Amino acid sequence: MPRARQNAVGFDFGRSVAGRLLRRVCVLSVHTSPLEQPGTGDAGGMNVYIAETATRMAQRGVAVEIFTRATSSDQPPVVELAPGVLVRHVTAGPFEGLSKNDLPSQLCAFTAGVLRAEARHEPGHFGVVHSHYWLSGQVGWLARDRWGVPLVHTAHTLARVKNAALAEGEPPEPMIRVIGEDQVVAEADRLVANTETEAHQLIELYGADRRRTVAIPPGVDLTRFRPGDRVAARAVLGLPSDALVLAFVGRIQPLKAPDVLLRAAAEMLARDPELRTRLVVLVVGGPSGSGLTEPKSLQLLAESLGITDVLRFLPPQPADALAEVYRAADVVAVPSHNESFGLVALEAQACGTPVVAARVGGLPVAVADGRSGLLVDGHGTADWADALLAATRERERLSAGAVAHASGFSWDRTTDALLATYTDAVAEFAAARMDLGLPAGA
């Protein structure tokens, strides 16, 4: 739809109908489902974000339908994630064997499935479309035009930003993604960034409309991720009560840089050989992305560094078990080469565990440098060893700061900000339709 400049009367009219139109949200998550376990494959912080915000929207009286690609013939067509939240599995291409980079070829089939599902309802079934990641944005752009409702888009990561900070061995994002992101940014009625830094990147690198770009930080479940008994948590995990525990949580791939923690641990042992009697390096997660090509890379690195005796692996953990991992750790390391926000950092701090993180992307927002953890410039082994040792020495002070910092973030705040953004987008969209002599709603 052509974008009309809104006059005050038109926009006021749009706001008056926004509440009536915003009864149900269509959420698009093509390449990964909020039902999947974060920490392996393509499942990560985005899955948590969608599930947490959708659940809270439904609690506020706004129903949510999440469309994602079916990856197994055993998946039912529809699953209730929570009261008022449905996950719809759309058949698009073979169930298995497709990587994220294969999915552009299946977007037509996925879009057809979404449009057919909506066609079974009365016009105006959805009041807004919220797409997550560029693949979903391509589908959302078409749904927006077909249904006559605004498109809100969250990128989560950006190809141009990732390509500027590639880890060694990490392939660059393909040009098809760069072009796809340009298209979605141009078409979206609102762009939701995780931080002001990401909003600036959208504006500077993609030419996004500043007026339609808003920064809304993700949150953390403060009822689940909270301080607890560290000794008890270690007992659950079979860790010595007096151990020095350094933890990495996330997908095992070059982008997330778990190798940085292993190299730093080896440096710490070289400086203080007696530390070997109590050091534990805990890696929680599964191979993902380009890490799938070398699933044993960390084990091989540990062998070459001579630290296999202090390294322990755990598979991806459900949220309650993950909280115990955070509580058991002295420090959680987030050494990513790029991170749009870093939910792991926030969850760990909410449990009272300081975080040592790379000073990249949204991590300077997620971690209060010197108060809730430490930020490290670059990925140098000596610098990371210094920071990890400093954080362990200052753990008690940083732990208190970590809880205080995390308390400023919540999924309720994120959800309320998203709903306000939806309302503004619907109001502007309705006013534009009125200017063109069209009905306010679909």
Side-chain angles (χ1 to χ4, degrees):
M1 175 198 295
R3 294 208 168 119
R5 187 174 183 85
Q6 305 309 314
N7 57 43
V9 174
F11 190 72
D12 287 344
F13 168 79
R15 291 196 66 84
S16 72
V17 301
R20 174 174 61 83
L21 296 176
L22 190 56
R23 299 185 301 268
R24 183 176 287 100
V25 176
C26 168
V27 171
L28 300 174
S29 180
V30 172
H31 78 283
T32 183
S33 168
L35 300 174
E36 294 175 5
Q37 169 64 53
T40 191
D42 289 320
M46 191 180 100
N47 303 65
V48 177
Y49 184 112
I50 293 172
E52 294 285 357
T53 56
T55 299
R56 284 163 175 76
M57 286 179 196
Q59 292 169 351
R60 288 156 172 74
V62 178
V64 180
E65 294 184 23
I66 303 166
F67 291 82
T68 190
R69 196 180 77 87
T71 55
S72 169
S73 58
D74 295 331
Q75 290 174 322
V78 183
V79 176
E80 184 181 63
L81 174 66
V85 181
L86 299 179
V87 176
R88 296 190 179 276
H89 293 115
V90 178
T91 301
F95 293 117
E96 299 175 355
L98 290 184
S99 72
K100 188 164 57 176
N101 289 337
D102 295 324
L103 293 182
S105 65
Q106 301 302 324
L107 290 182
C108 287
F110 188 91
T111 302
V114 173
L115 297 181
R116 285 170 182 164
E118 191 273 346
R120 290 194 286 267
H121 301 282
E122 292 295 319
H125 183 69
F126 295 113
V128 69
V129 178
H130 190 167
S131 56
H132 293 265
Y133 195 67
W134 78 274
L135 292 168
S136 301
Q138 291 284 313
V139 180
W141 166 18
L142 296 174
R144 165 193 185 270
D145 289 348
R146 175 69 66 89
W147 298 342
V149 299
L151 170 63
V152 177
H153 179 70
T154 303
H156 292 281
T157 61
L158 296 167
R160 287 191 172 100
V161 176
K162 289 184 70 173
N163 285 345
L166 289 173
E168 184 177 351
E170 187 83 352
E173 293 297 314
M175 184 54 64
I176 188 175
R177 176 179 174 182
V178 176
I179 295 171
E181 288 179 344
D182 281 334
Q183 293 170 335
V184 175
V185 167
E187 290 295 326
D189 298 279
R190 287 293 185 278
L191 293 166
V192 175
N194 287 326
T195 63
E196 292 292 348
T197 296
E198 187 182 355
H200 180 75
Q201 290 166 341
L202 283 164
I203 294 166
E204 294 299 317
L205 299 178
Y206 289 85
D209 184 340
R210 188 181 303 273
R211 190 176 64 85
R212 289 192 169 98
T213 305
V214 57
I216 301 176
V220 62
D221 185 343
L222 296 171
T223 61
R224 172 173 280 141
F225 297 102
R226 62 185 188 278
D229 188 323
R230 185 164 30 147
V231 173
R234 292 183 174 188
V236 170
L237 296 171
L239 300 175
S241 60
D242 63 344
L244 173 60
V245 181
L246 308 178
F248 168 90
V249 175
R251 289 170 287 168
I252 299 175
Q253 59 178 183
L255 176 71
K256 300 294 183 180
D259 62 292
V260 171
L261 174 58
L262 270 60
R263 297 180 196 279
E267 172 70 14
M268 291 165 63
L269 291 174
R271 296 180 187 180
D272 181 7
E274 293 184 4
L275 185 60
R276 189 177 292 273
T277 61
R278 62 190 190 92
L279 180 64
V280 175
V281 178
L282 188 60
V283 175
V284 183
S288 170
S290 58
L292 291 170
T293 62
E294 298 181 73
K296 300 295 184 182
S297 61
L298 282 190
Q299 290 93 327
L300 295 174
L301 176 61
E303 290 177 11
S304 69
L305 293 171
I307 61 169
T308 54
D309 56 319
V310 303
L311 181 61
R312 300 195 186 185
F313 287 93
L314 283 177
Q317 301 290 300
D320 288 336
L322 189 56
E324 294 285 28
V325 170
Y326 292 138
R327 295 182 190 114
D330 288 284
V331 178
V332 168
V334 185
S336 305
H337 289 275
N338 179 57
E339 200 73 61
S340 63
F341 187 73
L343 291 184
V344 164
L346 208 55
E347 292 170 350
Q349 291 169 105
C351 291
T353 302
V355 171
V356 175
R359 195 188 300 271
V360 298
L363 287 171
V365 176
V367 179
D369 189 23
R371 292 190 291 115
S372 68
L374 300 174
L375 296 174
V376 183
D377 294 309
H379 296 83
T381 297
D383 292 337
W384 273 84
D386 290 343
L388 290 166
L389 288 168
T392 59
R393 289 193 297 268
E394 294 284 317
R395 189 187 191 284
E396 185 173 348
R397 178 182 67 82
L398 293 174
S399 176
V403 174
H405 181 64
S407 68
F409 299 84
S410 74
W411 287 119
D412 286 319
R413 291 185 182 182
T414 304
T415 302
D416 289 340
L418 284 177
L419 289 174
T421 298
Y422 293 169
T423 299
D424 284 346
V426 171
E428 182 176 300
F429 202 85
R433 291 177 68 89
M434 185 188 73
D435 286 350
L436 295 172
L438 299 172

